[in-house]
Amino acid sequence: MRRIRDDDLEGKIPTGAKQVRRTASGRKPPDGRRKKHLYWEVPIDLVAAGENLCPWSSKWEWAYLWTLTYPQLPRLEDIRSTITELKHNVGLVSPTVDMYRGYLSDDEFNAISRRSPQEQEGHYVDSMNSLVTNPTADSLSLLAALVAESYITDQHQLLNLHRDAFFEGVNNLLANPHMADIAKEFMNGAANTILGTKWRFPGTYHVSSLSEPFITLEKWEAIVRENSLGMLIPLVLR
């Protein structure tokens, strides 16, 4: 709610405003008395105002990008599940080459299936163009998640392509004059964490296997401790 003193109001009365009489906010005057003044109360929906100024801005509060600014990455399964969801949100799919079979002519299918590595890379970069040129909470979160996925899976070529696309998308976002006040904080607090890939890997989790029967934690710690000492003895005797 915004309040404008009646004698400070310039121009016509704002739509939806109502007049109230109330004391001024702040500290009490020296005599302890507060005078009442006439105010116009104007209801303001800041979320709606932000949406009008920057469409989809309300999604930033819950953007997946923030999850990737923590020191430790989520598990790969969680990242890939989120990538699938974010692709749907931005209206993208990534069909395999075989999925094109039956929907294209032989010449069109052969043109896709016989692309050289350089052509594949060029087409892949072009396919991210909509994410880069129209940065939103979902599109930048998707690019950040792709950076994280290729980092965990040691796909260095994809990591570089995803990181370049994310960097370009962030620059396009921060080029908006309305982002000027928070550009430095956004770059230092969020973007650089993802671009720097200084994450810790996610914690280990259980996968059942016949070759991995259970033993007590105490017994495993004893095995590790004994073997660690065994490896140190030859070093000490040198």
Side-chain angles (χ1 to χ4, degrees), residues 60 90 92 124-144 146-147 160-176:
W60 276 105
V90 298
L92 293 178
Y124 190 85
V125 171
D126 291 343
S127 73
M128 294 187 290
N129 188 57
S130 62
L131 303 174
V132 170
T133 56
N134 301 296
T136 64
D138 279 340
S139 66
L140 286 185
S141 291
L142 175 55
L143 290 172
L146 291 170
V147 172
N160 290 331
L161 297 180
H162 292 151
R163 193 157 46 185
D164 288 346
F166 177 74
F167 179 66
E168 188 175 350
V170 168
N171 284 336
N172 287 335
L173 175 72
L174 300 183
N176 187 324

Side-chain angles (χ1 to χ4, degrees), residues 17-112:
K18 67 176 183 178
Q19 198 172 44
V20 297
R21 181 179 291 275
R22 54 164 292 158
T23 57
S25 302
R27 295 182 179 181
K28 290 183 178 180
D31 61 4
R33 299 177 183 176
R34 288 183 175 178
K35 296 180 180 180
K36 289 189 175 182
H37 300 279
L38 283 175
Y39 287 86
W40 288 100
E41 286 189 342
V42 186
I44 297 176
D45 188 334
L46 293 179
V47 174
E51 283 290 302
N52 290 332
L53 192 64
C54 182
W56 301 107
S57 59
S58 60
K59 299 191 74 172
W60 276 105
E61 183 178 2
W62 309 108
Y64 187 71
L65 180 142
W66 308 125
T67 302
L68 300 176
T69 63
Y70 295 133
Q72 182 169 300
L73 282 173
R75 293 173 180 171
L76 180 59
E77 291 80 3
D78 296 333
I79 293 174
R80 284 178 166 167
S81 175
T82 301
I83 288 173
T84 300
E85 179 182 345
L86 289 170
K87 284 196 302 183
H88 175 76
N89 290 350
V90 298
L92 293 178
V93 293
S94 48
T96 64
V97 173
D98 284 340
M99 290 174 68
Y100 284 100
R101 194 186 303 272
Y103 298 102
L104 302 177
S105 67
D106 290 341
D107 290 341
E108 290 173 325
F109 178 77
N110 289 335
I112 293 176

